[in-house]
Amino acid sequence: MDYKSKNIQLQYQGYLNTPLLWKNHTVLGLEQLELPKQREHQLKELSTEPLLLGKRVERFVIAELQQYNNISIRLENAQINHQKITIGELDCILIKDEFPIHLEIIYKFYLYDANVGTTEIEHWIGPNRKDTLAKKLHKLKDKQLPLLFNEHTKPILNDLHLNAEQIQQRVCFKAQLFIPYQKNIVFDLLNKECLAGFYIPFSEVEQFTNCNFYIPVKIDWLLKVQTQVEWLNFSQFYERISPIIANKTAPLCWVKFPNGMMQKFFIVWWVNS
């Protein structure tokens, strides 16, 4: 297997090992598609075409669903158009145990900022503070899932011999969560197993001068930390990270501590107020 194919397999394993953001209950009325865990498997069909992280995850979800004997995929990535204008997209319609399900797929990275909002959901924000978990949940509830009942969706459902009123709606919402360095937080609604690492402001990075670092490309944010990479010393890392931070972009990095422990972490350009 060549490097690119092997790396996509590692991305797929990273996706499989990412837990659902919540389980065994609903959040804002949104219910996860919870499936019995299967043994990890290799992707049968590898596409090495360059894809954005979100699109690659959609492919991974379909590949995983196809492993279940009681699930069949009826539709994926269907654009809903009206007068040549795209009004939305249905991620997936599947049949599970003879019941049709509309599934929306989400994979996110969120950082905990206690100064944002007043609830557990509101505290989670995107690395660059441009999006929030609360906004995404409301978009799912108010825009993406209701698209199933849009009049312009009906012809697509008719082709599948399905009626929107008979289709269940679920989400596959996975996430990696990051908390402030050396802090603890309480999880009530969300799945603590999603905790993937920590984050620190750029101004505090010099406390790690005796560590080694790696800066994965965004598509490899899915991976667990790999040992066989070209680790950077602190000065090399600082030189590479400085222009990224100056551009107000928060990169995900890997750190290897002197004791050999390795972790994912974000360096953020902003400071908690």
Side-chain angles (χ1 to χ4, degrees), residues 206-213 234 256-258:
E206 291 190 1
Q207 64 188 294
F208 299 133
T209 52
N210 58 350
C211 299
N212 293 112
F213 304 88
F234 180 79
K256 181 164 67 172
F257 292 96

Side-chain angles (χ1 to χ4, degrees), residues 67-260:
Q67 302 302 310
Y68 291 86
N69 295 328
N70 61 335
I71 292 177
S72 62
I73 309 298
R74 299 296 304 278
L75 190 75
E76 53 182 294
N77 300 125
Q79 287 192 340
I80 310 302
N81 301 307
H82 176 55
Q83 295 180 345
K84 298 183 179 179
I85 297 175
T86 300
I87 59 176
E89 183 178 277
L90 300 180
D91 284 349
C92 177
I93 291 181
L94 58 95
I95 306 294
K96 177 178 179 286
D97 296 324
E98 301 183 4
F99 292 99
I101 296 174
H102 167 213
L103 181 69
E104 286 296 312
I105 298 164
I106 311 95
Y107 194 107
K108 290 286 189 177
F109 299 81
Y110 288 121
L111 281 55
Y112 184 89
D113 187 345
N115 297 306
V116 176
T118 57
T119 66
E120 179 182 354
I121 295 296
E122 292 173 342
H123 292 327
W124 294 98
I125 63 172
N128 294 308
R129 307 186 75 86
K130 292 179 180 177
D131 63 334
T132 69
L133 171 57
K135 285 181 182 177
K136 183 59 184 174
L137 291 174
H138 284 290
K139 183 180 178 182
L140 272 169
K141 187 176 179 65
D142 300 334
K143 292 186 177 181
Q144 290 176 261
L145 291 175
L147 185 63
L148 180 71
F149 302 97
N150 188 289
E151 61 177 321
H152 304 297
T153 305
K154 194 169 183 179
I156 292 176
L157 298 181
N158 287 341
D159 289 343
L160 298 173
H161 306 292
L162 293 174
N163 183 335
E165 303 296 335
Q166 300 172 329
I167 300 175
Q168 301 174 2
Q169 294 196 296
R170 299 286 186 272
V171 296
C172 174
F173 200 138
K174 292 191 168 197
Q176 295 184 34
L177 302 179
F178 296 79
I179 60 177
Y181 185 54
Q182 292 184 326
K183 295 282 181 69
N184 290 311
I185 68 164
V186 175
F187 286 82
D188 289 323
L189 289 172
L190 303 183
N191 183 4
K192 189 175 183 179
E193 293 175 3
C194 290
L195 194 56
F198 65 91
Y199 73 90
I200 60 165
F202 180 60
S203 59
E204 298 178 14
V205 72
E206 291 190 1
Q207 64 188 294
F208 299 133
T209 52
N210 58 350
C211 299
N212 293 112
F213 304 88
Y214 183 75
I215 311 170
V217 297
K218 188 165 185 178
I219 195 72
D220 286 342
W221 288 11
L222 293 168
L223 272 61
K224 69 176 183 180
V225 177
Q226 303 292 303
T227 56
Q228 302 301 313
V229 296
E230 294 185 12
W231 294 96
L232 306 171
N233 62 34
F234 180 79
S235 60
Q236 294 169 320
F237 176 68
Y238 193 88
E239 184 177 346
R240 293 198 191 180
I241 216 77
S242 296
I244 300 174
I245 296 297
N247 196 39
K248 291 193 173 181
T249 300
L252 184 147
C253 309
W254 301 347
V255 58
K256 181 164 67 172
F257 292 96
N259 65 2

